[in-house]
Amino acid sequence: FTQGLQYLDGFLYEGTGLNGRSSIRKVKIETGEVVQRRDVPAQYFGEGIVVWQSELFQLTWQSGVAFIYDRGTFAPRRTAKYQGEGWGLTHDGTSLVMSDGSDSLRFLDPATFAERRRLRVTAGGVSLRNLNELEQVKGEIFANVWQTDYIARIDPQTGRVAGWVDLQGLLSPRERASTAVLNGIAYDAAVDRLFVTGK
């Protein structure tokens, strides 16, 4: 499963899931070739990732632990604890932003993983649950809504959904049969393009 995705310096950084099959990877965008990889211990189900400065952060689904690696070598640096489930991860230039499948986003201190604030997300005044993979795009937080074909564009100050990215029809019926749900989101700011994956 692709659980986390980020575009950086011409490569995709990918976090994958499933117990015994989770890893972090650096992938050539043109070919899909994995040029660098570190496997996660089998008891952990890898989730969202984000590169922050010299480090790469990876959440785990139900273990309440984040792994922090050296961005260049993927060597483990440290771990951090959190309450609840880990789903998606991005950053806004100051804080890490984490989803947990609920209607809330947590803004975390990258150095300590302490929660700075929590933001409830609403669409049309109603709580929007199942927020999954995250990406910062032009001042908004993009969030996959799990088990839908929509990405919510969230105002990071108010939590209100400002609009939607509609991915209906992106997959053919044949592709849909082998893809559980849409999940990865990565943004290339230099040329204003968005990458999305299934899982």
Side-chain angles (χ1 to χ4, degrees):
F1 289 166
T2 298
Q3 300 292 81
L5 199 66
Q6 184 171 357
Y7 177 85
L8 201 61
D9 300 330
F11 291 91
L12 287 173
Y13 289 79
E14 179 187 20
T16 69
L18 293 178
N19 291 92
R21 296 175 61 186
S22 296
S23 65
I24 53 170
R25 304 172 181 193
K26 184 178 180 180
V27 180
K28 279 188 180 177
I29 195 163
E30 301 84 4
T31 63
E33 177 191 352
V34 177
V35 296
Q36 193 172 346
R37 172 181 173 152
R38 173 172 284 276
D39 291 332
V40 176
Q43 68 266 37
Y44 297 103
F45 189 120
E47 280 282 349
I49 65 162
V50 69
V51 173
W52 168 264
Q53 296 177 356
S54 65
E55 296 180 319
L56 187 151
F57 289 74
Q58 180 183 37
L59 300 175
T60 56
W61 180 28
Q62 295 178 317
S63 302
V65 61
F67 294 104
I68 297 103
Y69 309 93
D70 180 273
R71 169 187 165 183
T73 65
F74 287 1
R77 282 192 174 176
R78 57 195 169 96
T79 59
K81 298 280 189 180
Y82 54 88
Q83 296 295 314
E85 295 184 354
W87 286 40
L89 198 60
T90 189
H91 74 80
D92 64 4
T94 304
S95 299
L96 303 182
V97 186
M98 171 182 161
S99 66
D100 58 14
S102 71
D103 63 356
S104 294
L105 299 177
R106 306 181 204 183
F107 290 72
L108 309 172
D109 184 319
T112 65
F113 232 65
E115 188 173 318
R116 290 174 167 167
R117 70 181 176 108
R118 197 173 283 225
L119 182 69
R120 181 172 162 261
V121 176
T122 59
V126 178
S127 291
L128 182 62
R129 298 188 55 79
N130 293 323
L131 301 173
N132 198 1
E133 159 72 340
L134 305 175
E135 184 75 9
Q136 180 81 10
V137 180
K138 297 181 181 177
E140 295 178 329
I141 298 170
F142 279 31
N144 261 315
V145 182
W146 185 52
Q147 294 186 320
T148 77
D149 289 332
Y150 294 95
I151 295 172
R153 297 173 37 222
I154 301 164
D155 182 316
Q157 300 307 314
T158 66
R160 288 197 283 273
V161 173
W164 301 90
V165 180
D166 182 351
L167 300 176
Q168 291 182 97
L170 184 65
L171 297 175
S172 70
R174 186 165 167 261
E175 292 168 326
R176 166 75 64 193
S178 63
T179 303
V181 290
L182 293 167
N183 204 42
I185 310 171
Y187 181 60
D188 177 3
V191 294
D192 192 27
R193 60 180 174 168
L194 194 68
F195 301 97
V196 295
T197 68
K199 75 169 187 176

